[in-house]
Structure formats: C-alpha cells, structure tokens
Amino acid sequence: MMPEEMPFDIDIQEPRWDQSTFVGRAKHFFMVTDPRNVLLSAETLDGAKKIVENYRSRIPTAGLTENQLWRAKYIYDSAFHPDTGEKMIVIGRMSAQVPMNMTITGCMLTFYRTTPAVVFWQWVNQSFNAIVNYTNRSGDAPITPSQLGTAYVSATTAAVFTALGLKSLTKHLPSLVGRFVPFAAVAAANCINIPLMRQRELTIGIPVTDKNGKRLAESTKAAQLAIAQVVISRIGMAVPAMAIPPIIMNSLEKRAFLKRRPWLNAPLQVGLVGLCLVFATPLCCALFPQKSSMRVRRLEPEVQALVRVKGGDIERVYFNKGL
C-alpha cells in the first residue's frame, strides 16, 4: 500500500507559530537564530530549498512529513533572503549572530583599556555589522558600493569616536563604569549604521502588500518604521550581553582565582556574552513581527492612492521589516 501524500494545505509562507504574540515570535526566532544552522552543508541547504519550493508549487516530495516540511522551511529561512530568494553570506545570517557576536563582543569587553584595542575591536564590530545589515536588508532594492562605503565609514567613525570620547571621560571614574563604554559605542553606531546601510529604502521605499502577500506599492514611511524597529531590536540584543558580563567580571577580577589566571579573562567574557546572546538574540528579534504592518492612512498620500486602486478598501498594509 502506497503512503498517502501530504496535503498542500499548510501555509509555509508564514511561520509555524502565531506571530501576533510575543511567545509565537520568540519560538520562531529561536529556530531562525539557531547557531547549529551555520554548520549545515550547501547540499542540505539546497535540499531544504527544493522541498520548500516544490511544496509551494504543489509538487509532492515522497515520504515527506509535516515536521520534515517545517524543518526544511526553517533551514530555508535561515539561509535564503525572504524577498530576493538569494543565498545569504554565511556570517551575515541570523544563525551566525550568536557565535560571531559572542566572540566580538567578548573581546570588546575584555580589551577596552587601551586606545589601539578600542579602535581595533570597534572596527571589527562595525565591519561585521555592515555585513549583517546588508545581508538582512528589507526588500529587493540593491545598494551601491558608494552607499555601502558611506554607511560603513560613518558607523565605524561614530563607534570609535564615541568609545574613545567616553573612555576619556570615564578614566577617573570607577572601573565598572569604563566597562560600559563599548555598549554606548555600539548603540550609537547602530543608530547610524542601519539607516545608512538601508538608505535606498528610505529614498525609494520598501514593498508593501495586502495580508495575502499581493504587492501594492513601495513606501518610504514603511521603510522608516521598519528601520526604527530594527534599530530598537539590535540595541536590545546588545543590552544583556554588554551589561551583565561587565558586572560579573568586575567582581570576579577581584578574586584571587582570576588574579592568578588572567588568561581566563577573555574566555570567561566570551562565554558569558554567548550565554546572554543565546536568549537575547531571538527574544529581541521577536519584539516586533517580521511581517510588520501599518495603517494605510499613515502612508504617503500617493502611496495611499495606489493601495486603494490595487487593494481596495483595506485598512492595513504589510511589509518585511528586515533584521
């Protein structure tokens, strides 16, 4: 007897869990940011893509179960851009956030005492952020090399000057205060880096759709909201990883155990940051729905007119906010 084929009534365009609730979004992003996905081979990624694309085209895959379909969908989502469908740069994927950020942030928090170390690690961090922001940009709008360069140089400059300025101001304050300088620099840089990296979206807009995914127009107002949400999420991600370890390490460094073993400082810092990021990354990604929305009346007048023509009397439009 032949096994029954799985019906094509599962909506894999949407996440498995209810995205109108924080818990549902958190479950979704724990899957998307799973660091183990970075280790998947190109063959596994392409296999997942084939399963997802076949299912969307209503082409049956022999022996496929619902759990296997959802697993393939999340592997696909972790590696391919939701708007362009292109395979994303490995270190720019959300699944690389925890291993990459735990290393970079751990080193920023460890090597913050000298000016060359501050400059070097802020540069490394902003180089990584530039890759992440470009990889996870919203929409299918290309960014020119000059725009990419401007965003990168501006954010790196802002991060370095903020870090050095605060380092100078806090050198006579308790050592614990100085440990929070990297966080202030990262927050300032995020406020510059993300809008600049996605400046083309602010100029021409991002695609807005109806609830069924029908593309209606491009809106700069939607782009502004999307970028603001991403900036808030990114700063939120940094808070636990850059606020909790400094307090713990400030206490540990006074103990004889760590004084006798100073080489443990960096590994401990990286480990503490990693522990924070495992939870902070998905939970802060979940602060806002990935498929965000706004009222039609908040769009630009000309976009409102286009939406009325193509979408009828709808109240809300939807857009991918990016990550």
Side-chain angles (χ1 to χ4, degrees), residues 99 102-107 110 264-275:
M102 67 183 281
T103 305
I104 296 170
T105 305
C107 289
T110 303
L264 277 175
N265 197 313
L268 271 175
Q269 196 98 247
V270 169
L272 286 169
V273 170
L275 185 63

Side-chain angles (χ1 to χ4, degrees), residues 17-134:
W17 296 279
D18 181 7
Q19 297 298 283
S20 65
T21 68
F22 177 76
V23 171
R25 294 195 297 272
K27 288 180 178 178
H28 167 68
F29 280 110
F30 267 107
M31 293 290 288
V32 171
T33 62
D34 185 345
R36 293 174 297 179
N37 288 339
V38 174
L39 304 175
L40 297 175
S41 66
E43 185 182 0
T44 302
L45 296 178
D46 291 336
K49 182 180 182 182
K50 184 176 180 182
I51 289 172
V52 169
E53 289 180 343
N54 282 351
Y55 191 84
R56 287 173 178 169
S57 303
R58 306 183 76 83
I59 300 171
T61 300
L64 184 68
T65 66
E66 182 175 343
N67 282 336
Q68 288 172 337
L69 174 64
W70 281 114
R71 173 63 181 153
K73 180 252 191 315
Y74 275 103
I75 290 174
Y76 175 83
D77 285 352
S78 76
F80 296 90
H81 193 280
D83 291 329
T84 65
E86 66 183 19
K87 189 181 287 185
M88 296 184 286
I89 305 163
V90 174
I91 63 170
R93 298 172 192 169
M94 292 311 291
S95 51
Q97 283 285 295
V98 172
M100 290 298 296
N101 268 325
M102 67 183 281
T103 305
I104 296 170
T105 305
C107 289
M108 278 198 296
L109 293 174
T110 303
F111 308 110
Y112 68 94
R113 291 184 174 91
T114 66
T115 297
V118 168
V119 172
F120 176 75
W121 285 108
Q122 289 295 337
W123 168 73
V124 170
N125 187 50
Q126 290 312 314
S127 299
F128 172 62
N129 282 345
I131 294 169
V132 173
N133 293 337
Y134 175 75

Side-chain angles (χ1 to χ4, degrees), residues 37-311:
N37 288 339
V38 174
L39 304 175
L40 297 175
S41 66
E43 185 182 0
T44 302
L45 296 178
D46 291 336
K49 182 180 182 182
K50 184 176 180 182
I51 289 172
V52 169
E53 289 180 343
N54 282 351
Y55 191 84
R56 287 173 178 169
S57 303
R58 306 183 76 83
I59 300 171
T61 300
L64 184 68
T65 66
E66 182 175 343
N67 282 336
Q68 288 172 337
L69 174 64
W70 281 114
R71 173 63 181 153
K73 180 252 191 315
Y74 275 103
I75 290 174
Y76 175 83
D77 285 352
S78 76
F80 296 90
H81 193 280
D83 291 329
T84 65
E86 66 183 19
K87 189 181 287 185
M88 296 184 286
I89 305 163
V90 174
I91 63 170
R93 298 172 192 169
M94 292 311 291
S95 51
Q97 283 285 295
V98 172
M100 290 298 296
N101 268 325
M102 67 183 281
T103 305
I104 296 170
T105 305
C107 289
M108 278 198 296
L109 293 174
T110 303
F111 308 110
Y112 68 94
R113 291 184 174 91
T114 66
T115 297
V118 168
V119 172
F120 176 75
W121 285 108
Q122 289 295 337
W123 168 73
V124 170
N125 187 50
Q126 290 312 314
S127 299
F128 172 62
N129 282 345
I131 294 169
V132 173
N133 293 337
Y134 175 75
T135 305
N136 293 282
R137 67 200 182 281
S138 175
D140 45 20
I143 184 168
T144 65
S146 64
Q147 290 171 329
L148 195 64
T150 300
Y152 172 59
V153 171
S154 301
T156 304
T157 303
V160 169
F161 272 89
T162 302
L164 293 179
L166 289 175
K167 180 176 177 292
S168 175
L169 290 171
T170 58
K171 62 184 177 183
H172 299 302
L173 297 175
S175 62
L176 180 59
V177 177
R179 288 179 179 272
F180 290 100
V181 167
F183 169 68
V186 167
N190 272 332
C191 292
I192 295 170
N193 194 332
I194 297 171
L196 281 174
M197 195 63 66
R198 295 173 59 174
Q199 61 187 288
R200 195 166 189 272
E201 297 171 33
L202 293 169
T203 305
I204 67 170
I206 57 174
V208 293
T209 70
D210 62 16
K211 65 180 179 181
N212 298 315
K214 179 186 175 184
R215 189 163 173 164
L216 303 173
E218 284 76 39
S219 168
T220 56
K221 291 282 188 183
Q224 291 168 14
L225 179 59
I227 290 169
Q229 290 177 346
V230 171
V231 169
I232 292 168
S233 294
R234 289 287 186 85
I235 293 174
M237 275 182 217
V239 170
M242 301 190 82
I244 296 172
I247 295 171
I248 296 172
M249 291 303 298
N250 196 61
S251 174
L252 289 178
E253 284 181 1
K254 296 172 184 175
R255 307 289 174 86
F257 177 80
L258 210 55
K259 283 181 178 178
R260 289 197 302 269
R261 301 169 181 84
W263 55 270
L264 277 175
N265 197 313
L268 271 175
Q269 196 98 247
V270 169
L272 286 169
V273 170
L275 185 63
C276 292
L277 286 173
V278 164
F279 297 97
T281 301
L283 293 177
C284 288
C285 282
L287 289 175
F288 305 100
Q290 181 63 34
K291 186 179 179 181
S292 202
S293 69
M294 65 190 299
R295 292 189 177 278
V296 173
R297 58 183 169 80
R298 291 183 59 198
L299 299 170
E300 310 91 297
E302 64 275 15
V303 177
Q304 289 183 39
L306 265 175
V307 168
R308 296 298 180 207
V309 170
K310 295 183 179 180

